Amino acid sequence: MATTHHQILIVGGGAAGITVAAELRAQDNHDILNIAIVEPSPVHYYQPAFTLVGAGAYDLKKTRRDESTLIPDGVTWIRDSVSTFAPDSNSVVLASGNTVTYDYLVVCPGLILNWDGVKGLRENLGKNGVCSNYSPDTVEYTWETLKNVGAGAKLLFTQPPMPIKCPGAPQKIAYLAADSLRRRGIRHTCEVRFLTQTPAIFGVPFYARELVKIAAGHDIIVQYQHNLVEIDGAAKTATFEIVGGDKQGTRITLPFDMLHVTPPQTTPSQLKASPLANAAGMTDVHANSLQHVKYKNVFGLGDAASTANSKTAAAVRKQAPVVVRNILHLLAGGAVEEAYDGYASCPLTTAYGKTLMAEFIYGGKPTPTLPLNPAKENHINWLIKTTGLPILYWDWMLKGRIAFPKHNTDFVDPGA
Ligand SMILES: Cc1cc2nc3c(=O)[nH]c(=O)nc-3n(C[C@H](O)[C@H](O)[C@H](O)COP(=O)(O)OP(=O)(O)OC[C@H]3O[C@@H](n4cnc5c(N)ncnc54)[C@H](O)[C@@H]3O)c2cc1C
């Protein structure tokens, strides 16, 4: 088995890994950094557009690119996966058995979809009206199901416990589905429910207040602290466990014609089992510097990081420059900066042609980028979601261009 060495080793070539590598290369004026990415997958998806694909408003093919076209020039792609992290010896062992040593490690292997976390989910996925926007393999069946449900249909949309990728995504598809039924003239005959394990519709009160009204405007029945535990595909029923309040532990079973499932999610087992993980299995990093709390030559970002931000590509956009600057500072003998403020953004598609752009930092403070009323859905944000953000992702983030617009941290929530 071979051992190789790279000055900066990045684990995961998703949104975070490619962005960090590209930004490092963009700042490597003298072409001296030795960077490698460990990533097993030959393809890369722009996952934020899956919501639109599931609603029939975007082509799945446009979300997919070959990983080889995204690895920045001068960066080594190790097409393998990490099986063991050994930070005490500054090394990782790969599934192939090879070892890679490093000076600096960037950990960003994202979240894994746990299709076995709900009884009956795996075997019913893609049939019997059971669909999910969360995977490229299942997302097109969401639209197929939605466009084929008839008058009188019952539609259920679920949200599991955190952590999940884009905590707004489970409800975005519920709004689009309700709007789709309305456009077909059958909305008044159908029942649409959004059942979430969480105690509120959204973690940031400023946006939650508006989203409650938007859900009511769509006549969606919202049920909090309801966690999907079992699906019977043949009977077309879904069973939920109530996780709080007087009825804690009680189970209810609902019939469905369409069941959109957001699966439970976890970090990869290799990370969970490693000394880099906290008790929740996430890369244990400082909230603002993104430096590992114990191993000072290790950084973590993206969905697998312990930071309390919303797990989004938008968060990665603001985290990556902090990780890159901190590694470059350490290489130059300097100190790390605590510059990440917890920024995340969740473009909530509230209807076809409308989006509410939820942007916020740690503590749930709203921080809009554009001078528009951040609490209101509008068409400009829909255009940003459907056209602007994919360009920002492919042509700016993943190319290492850092000139992103600044969010407004002086905005005051009038209802706070
Ligand atoms: C339905 C849906 C809707 C979303 N909507 C939005 C949105 O509107 N806005 C937004 O900003 N974000 C959205 N997101 C979230 C966004 O896609 C993620 O936050 C983002 O991709 C996180 O980047 P990441 O690099 O941490 O993880 P990923 O992009 O998932 O990449 C992780 C990579 O690590 C690799 N990996 C895993 N294990 C290993 C290992 N052991 N060794 C090596 N490599 C490994 C994986 O193969 C993968 O390529 C959405 C996601 C989904 C699924």
Side-chain angles (χ1 to χ4, degrees):
M1 293 299 160
T3 298
T4 50
H5 180 82
H6 293 278
Q7 189 179 22
I8 304 171
L9 183 67
I10 301 169
V11 177
I18 296 289
T19 304
V20 168
E23 289 182 9
L24 280 167
R25 282 297 291 154
Q27 295 186 49
D28 184 14
N29 299 327
H30 303 293
D31 221 8
I32 48 174
L33 297 177
N34 170 356
I35 308 164
I37 298 178
V38 185
E39 168 60 59
S41 174
V43 288
H44 180 115
Y45 286 94
Y46 177 59
Q47 301 171 55
F50 287 174
T51 297
L52 301 168
V53 176
Y58 206 85
D59 187 348
L60 180 62
K61 286 201 265 325
K62 281 168 61 186
T63 68
R64 181 191 158 113
R65 296 215 180 154
D66 286 345
E67 183 76 9
S68 60
T69 65
L70 302 174
I71 303 283
D73 285 346
V75 171
T76 304
W77 178 17
I78 302 172
R79 204 171 146 188
D80 206 330
S81 62
V82 167
S83 57
T84 309
F85 291 91
D88 290 308
S89 58
N90 294 325
S91 65
V92 299
V93 180
L94 306 176
S96 58
N98 293 332
T99 296
V100 187
T101 57
Y102 55 78
D103 298 333
Y104 293 91
L105 178 71
V106 180
V107 183
C108 44
L111 287 168
I112 302 289
L113 306 174
N114 179 13
W115 299 114
D116 297 313
V118 174
K119 195 172 168 199
L121 174 55
R122 188 182 283 282
E123 48 273 43
N124 284 297
L125 200 56
K127 57 182 189 220
N128 296 325
V130 181
C131 51
S132 181
N133 283 353
Y134 270 73
S135 161
D137 302 330
T138 59
V139 62
E140 287 181 306
Y141 183 63
T142 303
W143 176 233
E144 195 184 319
T145 309
L146 178 56
K147 71 180 182 203
N148 287 319
V149 292
K154 294 185 188 307
L155 293 81
L156 307 179
F157 296 83
T158 75
Q159 178 169 332
M162 298 295 172
I164 60 168
K165 308 179 193 217
C166 191
Q171 66 188 279
K172 295 178 197 178
I173 186 63
Y175 301 138
L176 293 172
D179 195 31
S180 167
L181 300 174
R182 183 183 64 79
R183 285 161 184 258
R184 287 169 54 201
I186 59 169
R187 174 67 192 92
H188 60 289
T189 69
C190 299
E191 187 181 90
V192 181
R193 287 175 194 255
F194 174 56
L195 300 112
T196 175
Q197 192 270 356
T198 54
I201 199 161
F202 199 69
V204 179
F206 176 80
Y207 298 110
R209 287 196 293 273
E210 191 63 23
L211 291 166
V212 165
K213 288 187 228 158
I214 287 170
H218 280 296
D219 200 16
I220 294 174
I221 302 164
V222 180
Q223 289 174 279
Y224 301 110
Q225 298 184 312
H226 280 60
N227 188 33
L228 177 67
V229 290
E230 187 168 350
I231 300 166
D232 183 333
K236 290 197 144 189
T237 59
T239 300
F240 296 81
E241 184 167 301
I242 299 175
V243 295
D246 298 346
K247 295 187 177 158
Q248 167 134 17
T250 312
R251 292 190 167 203
I252 63 160
T253 298
L254 297 170
F256 67 81
D257 298 286
M258 170 172 176
L259 172 64
H260 179 271
V261 180
T262 298
Q265 295 162 42
T266 76
T267 50
S269 55
Q270 303 88 344
L271 173 59
K272 272 197 222 169
S274 83
L276 296 174
N278 67 7
M282 324 280 293
T283 321
D284 201 0
V285 294
H286 185 280
N288 306 108
S289 70
L290 305 173
Q291 185 180 40
H292 195 272
V293 294
K294 179 172 172 205
Y295 300 97
K296 301 302 176 196
N297 62 340
V298 177
F299 290 82
L301 77 165
D303 292 353
S306 61
T307 48
N309 61 281
S310 181
K311 303 306 184 199
T312 57
V316 167
R317 178 158 45 87
K318 301 281 176 148
Q319 292 173 332
V322 177
V323 168
V324 166
R325 272 202 307 277
N326 281 342
I327 291 176
L328 294 176
H329 285 175
L330 291 180
L331 278 167
V336 297
E337 339 177 312
E338 299 184 354
Y340 177 57
D341 60 7
Y343 176 89
S345 163
C346 190
L348 288 128
T349 48
T350 49
Y352 290 89
K354 283 190 199 162
T355 294
L356 185 152
M357 192 65 76
E359 297 177 87
F360 45 95
I361 58 174
Y362 287 138
K365 181 176 163 43
T367 52
T369 300
L370 296 180
L372 301 169
N373 181 349
K376 293 292 169 208
E377 53 185 355
N378 64 47
H379 186 60
I380 293 176
N381 286 335
W382 172 264
L383 296 176
I384 291 173
K385 166 74 185 161
T386 53
T387 308
L389 291 175
I391 293 171
L392 186 67
Y393 185 80
W394 295 118
D395 297 340
W396 287 80
M397 258 180 84
L398 299 198
K399 298 288 182 229
R401 298 180 184 160
I402 307 183
F404 304 130
K406 179 90 185 88
H407 47 285
N408 177 10
T409 49
D410 295 329
F411 179 81
V412 178
D413 171 0

